[in-house]
Amino acid sequence: MAAAYRPGLRLNWHVLSPWGWASRRSLQTLQVLSGDLGQLPEGVRDFVERSARLCQPEGIHICDGTEAENTAILTLLEQQGLVRKLPKYSNCWLARTDPKDVARVESKTVIVTPSQRDTVPLPAGGARGQLGNWMSPAEFQQAVDERFPGCMQGEPVSQWPCNPEKTLIGHVPDQREIISFGSGYGGNSLLGKKCFALRIASRLARDEGWLAEHMLILGITNPAGKKRYVAAAFPSACGKTNLAMMQPALPGWKVECVGDDIAWMRFDSEGRLRAINPENGFFGVAPGTSATTNPNAMATIQSNTLFTNVAETSDGGVYWEGIDQPLAPGVTVTSWLGKPWKPGDKEPCAHPNSRFCAPARQCPIMDPAWEAPEGVPIDAIIFGGRRPKGVPLVYEAFNWRHGVFVGSAMRSESTAAAEHKGKIIMHDPFAMRPFFGYNFGRYLEHWLSMEERKGARLPRIFHVNWFRRDEAGRFLWPGFGENARVLDWICRRLEGEDSARETPIGLVPKEGALDLSGLGAIDTTQLFSLPKDFWKQEVRDIRSYLTEQVNQDLPKEVLAELEALEGRVCRM
Ligand code: OXD
Ligand code: MN
């Protein structure tokens, strides 16, 4: 199962499976530029031929995945001005996209099923659904017919071919198909990532009894040599990559990375939940990445890396907000928009969703088992979000069912990874809101059903928030490598340590149970405070979200957990 997705420097067809069209040009007139159609498995050949007839490219290149091919494609793209070599590093490249094609477009991402309710719950009172976009097969067929015929004809007119007005990312889970049009950016066009490994795979997982989740996977070893693996779900741009590659600030601890974005998990014959990372690389947000926040990512991206929409230095390097590297005297910066830029300018030099795409094997702390087909055993699942107020640094769910509720109630400040504007607190259940491949109510049922699996040893569930601020807006917790202190407490809880006290929202570290040695002043009272008014409002918000959005499909167990929380908060 491992390595289904191999991000690399390659061309993207943008089409995995067009379905239905009028044949315009016969294949005889199409040139196979490289490779042999006859050598392809029948189904693949059929797909290529149908796609070529539909899209009418000048020629067909059958990828062989070799380094020579990679180099040839890069050379071609360089000649065409689509990528630039970054001479400061080894085999690193910069691509600047059309400024209209810079992030996932959730509003144009659809799931196609015969019945709307198979894709999304029907919201109460005619409210606008926020848990995915459904399109009927007929409407989708029409959309495909409008977009694909002849779409590969002729020379591209811009440096970055895209069609923002017509962008459409379609998924047909019943056929396991993905059909993407009009965008060349990230999750819209790296179809193995969000489209397959989350949306289609979550549906496969439900049908087959496993889980496909928006989670990092890391191994953590304590000073005594005891190793545990945990999986953690945070919404986009909440520091998943930083946590997955963390350099623990606590002496003697070691973190090793299995993956930074997606986990496929299933129970093995002994009842242990085992996880694999289905990706082969990292596609991380560049701004904020530095030798302080993520030294392992910085080491990973020194070679064989494709950067998009970062700024470029005149000495052939990359630059972005928070890179924390002084510019050498005389070195100038060109922004992601190709304009001269200097520190202090109002506009950022890199797009907030600019990225690096690098092979995972280059990360200095990849776990020895990161490609093990049987996966690594998961002892804890951690949910989290960017919550400036009210939510404590860490708490543990009372049990699996409560943990599923905690996942359903996740919220976070919005991100630049998609098209959202401004900093609002958005609901993002299980960090999967943009990635559900089927009705979220049924997804909750699927999670709840794990409890009934015979012999399943369920991981414990935790919630973390590294982003709480004081009244002056300052972070209350240093984050990054210091988050190892929270993982330490989680590991001790897994060992059965009696180091938690009960609160209305879950179990938090007892006084003195969190190792804060050498950290300086930390206001633990504020960090763990549970303001009653905040939690009353939080419960109201969760209730209106779940009852409005999940409506008839909300499992009664989740509603019961919400009501239990409501009762505990009222008695606070
Ligand atoms: C990502 C995301 O990983 O948007 O790119 O979550
Ligand atoms: Mn992600």
Side-chain angles (χ1 to χ4, degrees):
M1 268 204 309
Y5 158 61
R6 301 237 164 230
L9 308 176
R10 33 171 114 141
L11 285 179
N12 199 320
W13 272 86
H14 296 254
V15 186
L16 274 189
S17 177
W19 61 353
W21 51 80
S23 160
R24 293 223 196 133
R25 191 201 281 203
S26 91
L27 260 197
Q28 278 79 36
T29 63
L30 277 168
Q31 225 189 320
V32 178
L33 303 171
S34 163
D36 180 355
L37 266 181
Q39 294 294 307
L40 296 177
E42 201 185 318
V44 180
R45 188 175 61 234
D46 200 46
F47 167 75
V48 173
E49 290 179 353
R50 282 185 290 126
S51 304
R53 259 185 244 116
L54 175 68
C55 304
Q56 300 178 24
E58 280 304 305
I60 296 175
H61 176 110
I62 300 168
C63 288
D64 60 15
T66 58
E67 238 353 270
E69 172 181 73
N70 194 20
T71 308
I73 293 175
L74 279 165
T75 308
L76 182 68
L77 293 178
E78 191 181 23
Q79 279 161 8
Q80 292 174 342
L82 269 148
V83 296
R84 299 158 65 85
K85 195 153 197 208
L86 293 162
K88 199 164 170 185
Y89 320 108
S90 161
N91 191 30
C92 287
W93 301 80
L94 168 64
R96 288 196 199 116
T97 72
D98 184 313
K100 291 205 203 74
D101 190 21
V102 290
R104 285 187 289 103
V105 270
E106 290 175 11
S107 57
K108 295 176 180 190
T109 299
V110 300
I111 309 278
V112 181
T113 47
S115 149
Q116 180 169 5
R117 207 157 158 196
D118 284 340
T119 293
V120 281
L122 306 183
R128 199 181 61 80
Q130 296 167 24
L131 287 160
N133 302 311
W134 172 74
M135 201 179 255
S136 72
E139 203 187 338
F140 189 58
Q141 180 69 64
Q142 195 182 335
V144 169
D145 290 347
E146 270 172 22
R147 286 165 175 78
F148 282 91
C151 67
M152 292 183 182
Q153 256 177 10
E155 289 296 310
V157 282
S158 88
Q159 280 294 86
W160 180 266
C162 63
N163 192 342
E165 282 76 41
K166 291 252 176 216
T167 292
L168 185 65
I169 325 296
H171 306 69
V172 192
D174 288 342
Q175 260 80 253
R176 287 43 170 138
E177 286 182 338
I178 304 158
I179 302 162
S180 173
F181 184 90
S183 167
Y185 204 79
N188 300 329
S189 64
L190 289 170
L191 304 183
K193 193 172 173 70
K194 305 300 187 179
C195 297
F196 176 66
L198 287 176
R199 296 193 191 97
I200 296 287
S202 65
R203 167 61 198 279
L204 289 170
R206 202 262 320 241
D207 292 354
E208 296 171 3
W210 51 283
L211 298 163
E213 301 298 332
H214 191 202
M215 291 181 183
L216 67 88
I217 310 162
L218 65 82
I220 179 154
T221 310
N222 73 12
K226 170 94 192 178
K227 184 164 188 179
R228 300 271 190 182
Y229 288 97
V230 304
F234 303 155
S236 308
C238 281
K240 284 225 306 290
T241 305
N242 292 345
L243 183 61
M245 298 182 192
M246 185 222 275
Q247 233 169 46
L250 280 179
W253 286 78
K254 183 159 93 180
V255 163
E256 286 161 295
C257 178
V258 176
D260 79 327
D261 197 40
I262 299 178
W264 286 357
M265 302 188 285
R266 67 175 174 89
F267 287 98
D268 68 13
S269 53
E270 265 110 62
R272 296 201 83 172
L273 189 62
R274 290 197 164 261
I276 65 154
N277 162 19
E279 302 191 86
N280 191 50
F282 302 117
F283 180 62
V285 174
T289 308
S290 73
T292 320
T293 61
N294 194 337
N296 290 312
M298 292 306 279
T300 305
I301 61 182
Q302 299 303 307
S303 57
N304 309 317
T305 297
L306 176 60
F307 295 91
T308 28
N309 291 343
V310 302
E312 188 185 359
T313 57
S314 54
D315 58 348
V318 290
Y319 210 68
W320 51 71
E321 279 52 47
I323 195 168
D324 220 7
Q325 272 171 18
L327 290 165
V331 169
T332 57
V333 177
T334 304
S335 79
W336 73 282
L337 290 166
K339 303 217 173 89
W341 181 94
K342 48 184 184 354
D345 279 3
K346 214 166 115 256
E347 294 302 319
C349 65
H351 186 277
N353 190 36
S354 53
R355 301 276 179 150
F356 54 80
C357 185
R361 67 182 141 74
Q362 291 182 188
C363 175
I365 59 154
M366 283 319 275
D367 191 88
W370 84 276
E371 290 187 293
E374 70 279 12
V376 297
I378 299 295
D379 290 317
I381 289 175
I382 305 174
F383 295 128
R386 199 177 263 274
R387 299 302 304 267
K389 291 202 179 89
V391 179
L393 177 65
V394 57
Y395 63 95
E396 181 181 343
F398 298 120
N399 51 46
W400 182 259
R401 209 177 272 203
H402 178 231
V404 173
F405 165 71
V406 170
S408 77
M410 275 169 66
R411 302 175 75 189
S412 191
E413 241 172 25
S414 59
T415 145
E419 72 267 47
H420 312 295
K421 300 264 158 24
K423 293 205 163 179
I424 47 162
I425 305 289
M426 288 175 61
H427 291 269
D428 193 348
F430 291 78
M432 280 287 282
R433 184 193 47 75
F435 309 122
F436 291 120
Y438 64 100
N439 182 313
F440 170 52
R442 295 177 198 163
Y443 169 97
L444 284 171
E445 275 168 17
H446 184 52
W447 267 75
L448 289 167
S449 77
M450 300 294 152
E451 226 180 5
E452 275 123 54
R453 284 180 90 93
K454 264 197 35 221
R457 286 146 68 182
L458 296 171
R460 302 259 278 273
I461 297 180
F462 297 81
H463 186 282
V464 299
N465 173 28
W466 320 132
F467 301 97
R468 193 162 180 179
R469 294 174 186 260
D470 66 12
E471 283 79 40
R474 287 177 300 243
F475 285 114
L476 285 161
W477 179 250
F480 305 109
E482 305 296 352
N483 294 336
R485 296 168 191 273
V486 174
L487 296 182
D488 162 33
W489 180 73
I490 290 176
C491 287
R492 284 187 279 123
R493 290 292 297 155
L494 297 176
E495 296 301 330
E497 192 185 82
D498 175 21
S499 53
R501 72 183 162 84
E502 197 167 323
T503 76
I505 67 161
L507 304 161
V508 301
K510 275 185 181 165
E511 186 71 40
L514 203 61
D515 181 353
L516 300 177
S517 53
L519 244 196
I522 294 287
D523 187 344
T524 47
T525 310
Q526 272 208 64
L527 199 54
F528 284 97
S529 72
L530 300 173
K532 183 165 179 166
D533 285 347
F534 172 91
W535 277 95
K536 278 171 77 175
Q537 186 57 43
E538 183 73 1
V539 169
R540 274 197 291 272
D541 291 348
I542 298 167
R543 178 183 275 279
S544 51
Y545 181 74
L546 292 179
T547 53
E548 178 197 280
Q549 288 293 318
V550 200
N551 194 17
Q552 303 277 308
D553 292 319
L554 186 64
K556 60 179 187 332
E557 294 86 346
V558 174
L559 191 59
E561 286 296 334
L562 170 68
E563 277 163 1
L565 173 66
E566 204 163 31
R568 294 191 301 268
V569 167
C570 278
R571 293 190 296 276
M572 252 159 115

